[in-house]
């Protein structure tokens, strides 16, 4: 089958109830498939030495292999240095395996590479700008959950235009990675658990104006949130478990998921500061929010998760919250909320979790709570 251009054996996984539980070793010899452009073996329950698998790939000259997907398998061993010979590669996906490599500089030689996925394998060492010096086409990069240290100068301008950037659990701090400011086309940014102990830079809102998914949680970001975030395109924002202080400014109006929990935030400014009626999840627990829950919360009619626990909120709950028919998770514990058991909860028939403990509610539990 030497004319074969695409070979897709992906998603051939076994059912634990009907299979003997054995993974499959890659025994195919593909060296003579000189026209092969795409090889997709994602989630095929392959195991064995990744170097041996690479030896079985087409080694013709010129090599035409453009897409290699080996993700979600049980491949082990060390990534071979001669991977840099596959110069036609555009997509390389090795994520979710047990592949090791110290300082994988060979991948940086793949000048045509647009998508690089090395999520959750066993890489270690230090990544510098030299690793990406030849990566002129790179748009998608995921190095998350590896023992990597990212040491790139703030002045360095990448040779490519990055759009999807994920370095979760890679060590990038303590300073905020300034080299990201040259990537104004980023739409997905995950630098969570990256050891960043710095304030949010002034260029933040402008540079990341196109980002729709942002996760910078579990760092040590300090001081206040930028006042000009309202103009950003964010749909999902995760900044939990930092050391952010001050008031919550006006945030993007398209937000659907917002998590600012476990910070030192004091409260809200204005009446529509934290998103639009499209908000699905709002997590502000473990801050220093005080005062009444504002009536403006009632506009979040599609809200499914509301967590305001462990703050300093007081007063009665706004009765207009009864319009939140999609609500499934309500956590308001450890505040100073008061009044009778909120009768509007009778309308929220989809609620599966309700925590009103450690407040100042009074009176009797209503009869309808059992139905």
């Amino acid at each position: 089958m030497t004319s074969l251009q695409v070979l897709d054996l992906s998603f051939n996984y076994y059912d634990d109830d009907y299979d003997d539980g054995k993974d499959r070793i890659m025994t195919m010899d593909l060296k003579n498939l000189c026209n092969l452009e795409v090889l997709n073996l994602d989630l095929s329950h392959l195991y064995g030495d990744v170097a041996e698998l690479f030896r079985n790939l087409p080694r013709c000259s010129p090599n035409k292999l453009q897409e290699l997907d080996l993700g979600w398998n049980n491949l082990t061993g060390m990534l071979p240095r001669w991977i840099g010979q596959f110069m036609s590669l555009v997509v390389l996906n090795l994520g979710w395996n047990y592949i090791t490599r110290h300082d994988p500089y060979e991948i940086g030689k793949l000048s045509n590479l647009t998508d690089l996925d090395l999520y959750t394998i066993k890489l270690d060492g230090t990544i510098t700008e030299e690793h990406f010096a030849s990566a002129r086409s790179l748009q998608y990069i995921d190095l998350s959950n590896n023992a990597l240290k990212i040491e790139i100068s703030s002045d360095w301008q990448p040779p490519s235009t990055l759009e999807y950037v994920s370095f979760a659990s890679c060590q990038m701090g303590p300073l905020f990675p300034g080299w990201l400011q040259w990537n104004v086309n980023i739409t997905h940014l995950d630098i969570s658990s990256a050891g960043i102990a710095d304030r949010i830079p002034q260029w933040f809102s402008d540079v990341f104006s196109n980002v729709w998914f942002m996760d910078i949680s579990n760092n040590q970001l300090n001081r206040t949130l930028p006042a000009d975030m309202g103009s950003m395109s964010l749909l999902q924002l995760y900044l939990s478990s930092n050391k952010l202080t001050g008031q919550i400014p006006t945030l993007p109006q398209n937000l659907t998921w917002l998590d600012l929990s476990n910070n030192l935030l004091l409260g809200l400014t204005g009446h529509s500061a934290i998103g639009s009626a499209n908000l699905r999840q709002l997590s502000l627990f473990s801050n220093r929010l005080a005062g009444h829950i504002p009536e403006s919360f009632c506009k979040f009619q599609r809200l499914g998760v509301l967590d305001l626990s462990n703050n300093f909120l007081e007063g009665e709950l706004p009765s207009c919250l009864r319009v939140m028919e999609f609500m499934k998770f309500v956590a308001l514990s450890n505040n100073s909320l008061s009044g009778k058991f909120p009768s509007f909860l009778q309308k929220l028939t989809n609620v599966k979790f309700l925590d009103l403990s450690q407040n100042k509610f009074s009176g009797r539990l209503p009869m309808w709570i059992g139905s």
Side-chain angles (χ1 to χ4, degrees):
M1 303 175 69
T2 55
S3 298
L4 208 60
Q5 293 178 316
V6 176
L7 178 58
D8 190 342
L9 302 174
S10 60
F11 289 85
N12 276 286
Y13 52 89
Y14 61 78
D15 190 317
D16 289 338
D17 294 331
Y18 301 101
D19 197 274
D20 58 8
K22 293 182 179 179
D23 288 347
R24 307 176 181 93
I25 192 166
M26 173 71 173
T27 57
M28 289 184 297
D29 187 344
L30 309 178
K31 294 188 185 72
N32 295 324
L33 298 186
C34 294
N35 293 302
L36 194 65
E37 297 178 1
V38 176
L39 177 60
N40 191 344
L41 300 174
D42 272 357
L43 209 83
S44 296
H45 276 278
L46 298 176
Y47 78 95
D49 189 346
V50 66
E52 185 63 29
L53 190 152
F54 268 89
R55 288 189 187 95
N56 288 327
L57 294 179
R59 304 295 291 275
C60 315
S61 181
N63 191 294
K64 296 183 179 179
L65 191 62
Q66 297 181 22
E67 181 175 335
L68 179 59
D69 293 291
L70 301 176
W72 293 84
N73 287 294
N74 289 312
L75 297 172
T76 57
M78 186 170 289
L79 193 65
R81 290 190 179 277
W82 39 267
I83 189 176
Q85 297 177 9
F86 293 90
M87 294 299 296
S88 296
L89 275 179
V90 176
V91 175
L92 177 60
N93 176 14
L94 303 176
W96 283 99
N97 281 288
Y98 301 94
I99 302 170
T100 61
R101 189 87 201 127
H102 180 74
D103 195 15
Y105 70 90
E106 305 86 359
I107 295 176
K109 298 178 180 179
L110 303 175
S111 57
N112 292 313
L113 206 62
T114 63
D115 292 47
L116 175 62
D117 190 340
L118 302 178
Y119 178 81
T120 311
I121 53 178
K122 298 291 181 181
L123 298 179
D124 63 9
T126 301
I127 300 292
T128 67
E129 47 263 41
E130 294 180 3
H131 290 81
F132 303 115
S134 300
R136 298 185 297 270
S137 304
L138 199 60
Q139 299 174 6
Y140 178 112
I141 182 169
D142 192 342
L143 301 180
S144 299
N145 295 345
N146 286 288
L148 291 169
K149 187 173 184 180
I150 313 295
E151 290 187 351
I152 296 179
S153 169
S154 296
D155 298 328
W156 180 69
Q157 299 186 30
S160 61
T161 303
L162 297 176
E163 297 178 6
Y164 184 107
V165 177
S166 186
F167 292 132
S169 297
C170 296
Q171 291 306 299
M172 306 183 73
L175 299 179
F176 197 96
W179 61 274
L180 291 175
Q181 67 184 295
W182 311 111
N183 292 272
V184 295
N185 290 328
I186 293 178
T187 58
H188 179 111
L189 178 65
D190 188 346
I191 50 175
S192 58
S193 303
I196 301 171
D198 196 6
R199 66 181 302 176
I200 296 177
Q202 292 182 341
W203 45 261
F204 182 87
S205 299
D206 287 335
V207 169
F208 297 142
S209 61
N210 295 315
V211 175
W212 62 267
F213 176 97
M214 178 180 290
D215 189 347
I216 319 182
S217 59
N218 198 29
N219 284 287
Q220 296 186 58
L221 292 175
N222 53 60
R223 302 194 187 182
T224 60
L225 289 167
D228 56 351
M229 293 182 68
S231 61
M232 300 177 72
S233 303
L234 286 167
L235 297 179
Q236 299 184 40
L237 176 60
Y238 304 92
L239 290 173
S240 63
S241 299
N242 281 286
K243 295 182 178 180
L244 296 168
T245 60
Q247 301 285 323
I248 298 176
T250 299
L251 296 177
Q253 291 298 302
N254 293 322
L255 277 175
T256 57
W257 294 72
L258 175 62
D259 189 350
L260 298 176
S261 60
N262 199 22
N263 279 286
L264 304 170
L265 297 167
L266 296 176
L268 306 172
T269 58
H271 298 288
S272 58
I274 54 176
S276 69
N278 294 321
L279 203 63
R280 304 293 198 277
Q281 174 177 321
L282 178 59
S283 296
L284 300 175
F285 67 86
S286 296
N287 277 286
R288 296 179 177 178
L289 305 181
H292 291 68
I293 297 177
E295 293 278 342
S296 60
F297 271 43
C298 298
K299 70 178 180 180
F300 305 136
Q301 296 185 17
R302 304 187 68 84
L303 201 64
V305 174
L306 176 64
D307 194 340
L308 302 177
S309 58
N310 199 25
N311 279 290
F312 301 96
L313 298 169
E314 59 186 11
E316 297 186 8
L317 298 177
S319 60
C320 61
L321 295 178
R322 64 181 179 273
V323 299
M324 297 183 177
E325 57 181 302
F326 297 99
M327 189 75 75
K328 294 183 178 180
F329 183 102
V330 182
L332 302 174
S333 63
N334 198 21
N335 281 285
S336 295
L337 298 169
S338 59
K340 295 181 179 180
F341 189 86
S343 60
F344 68 83
L345 289 174
Q346 188 175 6
K347 303 288 186 179
L348 307 185
T349 55
N350 291 316
V351 169
K352 297 184 177 181
F353 180 95
L354 175 63
D355 189 352
L356 304 177
S357 63
Q358 300 181 72
N359 278 290
K360 296 180 180 180
F361 293 112
S362 59
R364 297 183 177 184
L365 287 176
M367 294 297 294
W368 52 258
I369 197 170
S371 57

